[in-house]
Amino acid sequence: MSFQPNTSQNKEYKIRLEKSFTDQKPGTSGLRKSTRQFQQTHYLESFIESIFRTLPGVKGGILVLGGDGRFGNRKAIDVILRMAAAHGVSKVITTVDGILSTPAASNLIRSRNAIGAIILSASHNSGGVNGDFGVKVNGPNGGPASESLTDEIYSCTKNLDEYKILESQNIRIDSIGKYFISSMTVEVIDGVEDYIHLLQNIFDFDQIRSLLNNNFPIAFDALNAVTGPYAKRLFEDLLGASKGTVRNGKPLEDFGGCHPDPNLTYAKELADLLLLGEAYAFGAACDGDGDRNMILGKGCFVNPSDSLAVLAANAECVPAYSNGLLGVARSMPTSSAVDVVAKDLGINCYETPTGWKFFGNLLDSGQITLCGEESFGTGSNHVREKDGLWAVLYWLQVLANKQCSVEKLMLAHWSKYGRHYYSRHDYEAISIEKANGLYTRLESLLPSLVGESFAGRLISHADNFAYTDPVDNSITSNQGLRILLNDGSRVILRLSGTGTKGATLRVYLESYVSSKGNLNQHPQEALSDLIDNIDYVAEISKRTGMKVPTVIT
Ligand code: G16
């Protein structure tokens, strides 16, 4: 490890702000805005100052810092290092070129006893000058900052008068080493190694290696984002997959113009390979910051809600979970497929609001082992973030253990538990006014809907979802409009907390068919009556002017 003391004067400046920014309210997952907004003078600094004033333990603490490599990553790291030094942070752990996936950051916080992390990512949103940038804040348990910390950070941004920063030479982070800015240490590590080590303690790599060596070709698409270096080390170097298995494996500032969201729309190239081609037995993709995953088999797309259920049902295949699961949790809009598995296993299943932070207390208190969201997020108690590559390895381990294809595994699962037909329809970039109008109108209608007929069934319950955390009893309300039908079907409407252009309306549709019913329908067909009815009741096309959703998952 090299040792290069920084010789600059490290003079501290207090920069006065004429006015504070009013639009720095973090959403579902940190502060996410267009890159151009972040380029405004003092914009990034103001939010970072609020974090440093609010996050417990900053003075003398260890901080993890990195990002998904999108445009602005390197520059933001430079600013944050100088601000961290001005705030008395004792050490910042970052990675070569600042490339750090969200789950790897979560692992570093936990293994290095850090006070938290600042992760520079707008996750699955597009990047580049014309794309988005974001700042995620994680706490000492490794997970996204709690609602209360996020609220405190936001209230700090509203009355900010100045921020502290050190003058310093540009800080080199292009190789492993230890540097100093004033009295603060900057430790630049490889970043990939710690994370791979974590996975090696969870999975049986030998078993996965023999699957991959036994006529089981796989394709992994990193979508030009952060998981490329991790995936190459994992699949090509350690698990014996052929060179070229990892596609789009170099993190690019604009993700090569792609949208780094692993779904059938934005990872179409990979989806076509698996769904239309014959060459691969398994395919997977991760998002910009590596916490989401999409799983595909030959001719078969695995719905993320089903994925969580399959992982829970087959936990005995994975060494780290072979003694059984403590419990499971899913976000409210995620389908109830995992509930059925939990019931069968005799374990608790919790329903939380959308956003990974709500799993934190359940994981920390040992009430759950696995959790997931319909938005391609699955994870476990190994870190406090969803973890894309972990999910891919979990699937490979189950397939290696069962010696079967993805399609066969899904059919076996539905034949045992029944099938939850599921789809999410997103209406993106609607005017905020129209979206709010639609939402508040439907909310006011909810009490009168109970007992009414809906898609040939009866509405048994309708509300705006509120959650009481079973650990700290905190209440989070206004988490989405739920219409529950008497046969277990559900339709849910939410407004996104991560979009940056206008509003995004998400409509979640779910219908259950028992193992004796028709398990082979196309989801859009199985859900067509729910789709038509919610359009009528919520006046979606009438009010948005959109005949079809922008993205169907
Ligand atoms: C979306 C998803 C949520 C997810 C959130 C953050 O939020 O619907 O399930 O928790 O993104 O995901 P990531 O950490 O990958 O950015 P929303 O509010 O847009 O629906």
Side-chain angles (χ1 to χ4, degrees):
M1 197 174 264
S2 65
F3 183 83
Q4 293 182 336
N6 192 304
T7 52
S8 69
Q9 292 170 343
N10 298 139
K11 189 165 181 303
E12 182 181 315
Y13 285 94
K14 287 191 173 144
I15 310 288
R16 287 212 65 76
L17 297 165
E18 275 165 27
K19 61 176 175 53
S20 48
F21 293 95
T22 52
D23 64 343
Q24 298 199 324
K25 187 170 173 48
T28 316
S29 198
L31 182 66
R32 201 168 289 185
K33 298 285 173 193
S34 69
T35 304
R36 291 199 197 282
Q37 261 165 295
F38 266 102
Q39 282 174 325
Q40 295 170 80
T41 314
H42 308 315
Y43 191 87
L44 172 75
E45 290 85 346
S46 294
F47 193 65
I48 301 298
E49 176 73 20
S50 303
I51 296 170
F52 283 140
R53 286 192 191 184
T54 315
L55 189 68
V58 165
K59 204 167 174 50
I62 299 173
L63 181 78
V64 172
L65 175 63
D68 62 14
R70 70 180 60 220
F71 180 83
N73 193 50
R74 187 61 194 81
K75 203 168 161 199
I77 287 177
D78 195 70
V79 167
I80 295 168
L81 284 175
R82 291 189 285 128
M83 289 185 70
H87 280 270
V89 170
S90 73
K91 188 204 261 190
V92 171
I93 300 170
T94 188
T95 56
V96 175
D97 295 329
I99 299 288
L100 181 63
S101 80
T102 293
S106 180
N107 176 46
L108 280 178
I109 298 171
R110 296 166 67 77
S111 60
R112 304 292 188 103
N113 286 326
I115 55 162
I118 297 180
I119 303 168
L120 303 163
S121 173
S123 187
H124 53 284
N125 293 26
S126 60
V129 191
N130 298 316
D132 291 335
F133 192 75
V135 178
K136 296 189 183 198
V137 185
N138 284 35
N141 72 344
S146 62
E147 281 279 277
S148 56
L149 182 62
T150 312
D151 288 347
E152 266 183 73
I153 295 171
Y154 177 50
S155 86
C156 187
T157 65
K158 290 194 285 191
N159 303 305
L160 210 59
D161 50 353
E162 62 179 26
Y163 64 86
K164 283 199 289 184
I165 188 161
L166 281 195
E167 184 190 56
S168 152
Q169 288 174 340
N170 271 351
I171 301 135
R172 286 188 49 197
I173 55 166
D174 55 0
S175 59
I176 292 171
K178 233 181 206 173
Y179 309 92
F180 291 91
I181 309 173
S182 187
S183 58
M184 184 181 87
T185 311
V186 180
E187 186 182 344
V188 185
I189 63 170
D190 154 83
V192 175
E193 216 168 275
D194 290 65
Y195 176 71
I196 301 278
H197 184 66
L198 170 77
L199 296 180
Q200 281 171 323
N201 285 328
I202 297 174
F203 299 102
D204 176 352
F205 271 42
D206 289 339
Q207 192 189 45
I208 298 176
R209 193 179 301 110
S210 33
L211 172 79
L212 301 190
N213 285 337
N214 188 17
N215 194 21
F216 195 85
I218 67 167
F220 177 84
D221 197 337
L223 299 172
N224 302 307
V226 80
T227 51
Y230 298 84
K232 277 190 195 153
R233 189 92 60 93
L234 253 183
F235 299 122
E236 298 180 10
D237 297 349
L238 289 170
L239 292 168
S242 57
K243 294 276 170 234
T245 292
V246 177
R247 314 164 78 85
N248 302 312
K250 189 171 183 290
L252 301 176
E253 286 202 330
D254 64 348
F255 306 122
C258 303
H259 199 125
D261 199 358
N263 59 35
L264 295 175
T265 306
Y266 296 124
K268 189 171 181 316
E269 202 180 288
L270 180 81
D272 285 351
L273 275 183
L274 270 293
L275 301 182
L276 309 175
E278 287 293 318
Y280 297 99
F282 179 88
C286 288
D287 73 331
D289 63 331
D291 55 6
R292 297 182 173 205
N293 73 91
M294 174 171 73
I295 303 293
L296 299 155
K298 195 181 282 178
C300 171
F301 161 72
V302 181
N303 182 285
S305 297
D306 279 344
S307 177
L308 175 63
V310 168
L311 300 189
N314 294 288
E316 83 278 354
C317 300
V318 180
Y321 314 115
S322 57
N323 288 336
L325 305 175
L326 299 165
V328 291
R330 62 165 172 83
S331 69
M332 181 272 282
T334 303
S335 95
S336 326
V338 73
D339 302 36
V340 180
V341 175
K343 195 168 173 212
D344 184 55
L345 294 173
I347 56 174
N348 281 338
C349 178
Y350 298 86
E351 183 179 42
T352 60
T354 295
W356 207 259
K357 59 188 162 216
F358 294 103
F359 296 130
N361 279 346
L362 294 168
L363 290 162
D364 286 348
S365 62
Q367 309 209 37
I368 59 168
T369 308
L370 297 187
C371 45
E373 296 191 277
E374 48 64 43
S375 52
F376 297 85
T378 10
S380 88
N381 55 3
H382 68 294
V383 285
R384 294 294 181 272
E385 283 281 0
K386 50 191 180 262
D387 189 344
L389 286 167
W390 165 91
V392 178
L393 287 195
Y394 200 136
W395 263 90
L396 289 173
Q397 188 93 76
V398 174
L399 297 172
N401 196 285
K402 301 265 167 197
Q403 289 290 311
C404 72
S405 68
V406 175
E407 192 187 14
K408 276 209 173 117
L409 189 66
M410 286 316 307
L411 284 175
H413 186 89
W414 295 330
S415 313
K416 177 167 180 189
Y417 300 102
R419 180 169 181 184
H420 291 79
Y421 283 104
Y422 186 83
S423 184
R424 184 174 102 182
H425 288 193
D426 294 337
Y427 297 81
E428 296 174 319
I430 323 172
S431 84
I432 292 176
E433 218 174 44
K434 279 185 186 166
N436 287 341
L438 184 155
Y439 193 87
T440 44
R441 174 185 164 275
L442 182 64
E443 185 178 13
S444 67
L445 279 182
L446 290 179
S448 65
L449 291 180
V450 178
E452 293 293 313
S453 117
F454 190 99
R457 287 152 263 185
L458 285 184
I459 297 176
S460 53
H461 184 92
D463 68 1
N464 189 339
F465 180 63
Y467 175 67
T468 304
D469 187 298
V471 178
D472 64 15
N473 291 320
S474 59
I475 296 173
T476 311
S477 41
N478 194 21
Q479 292 301 305
L481 308 180
R482 303 193 293 179
I483 298 177
L484 312 185
L485 308 185
N486 60 347
D487 68 341
S489 302
R490 305 189 304 160
V491 180
I492 290 142
L493 270 82
R494 268 188 73 245
L495 294 176
S496 156
T498 59
T500 55
K501 289 179 196 77
T504 295
L505 172 71
R506 303 203 195 282
V507 181
Y508 309 83
L509 306 132
E510 172 183 348
S511 179
Y512 177 66
V513 167
S514 82
S515 57
K516 294 188 185 64
N518 183 353
L519 300 173
N520 285 314
Q521 271 177 284
H522 191 284
Q524 302 309 314
E525 223 173 83
L527 297 164
S528 61
D529 49 354
L530 295 183
I531 295 169
D532 292 347
N533 272 258
I534 193 61
D535 185 45
Y536 175 74
V537 172
E539 298 185 344
I540 298 172
S541 42
K542 187 171 156 197
R543 284 170 173 264
T544 63
M546 295 163 85
K547 292 247 171 312
V548 287
T550 343
V551 178
I552 294 181
T553 306

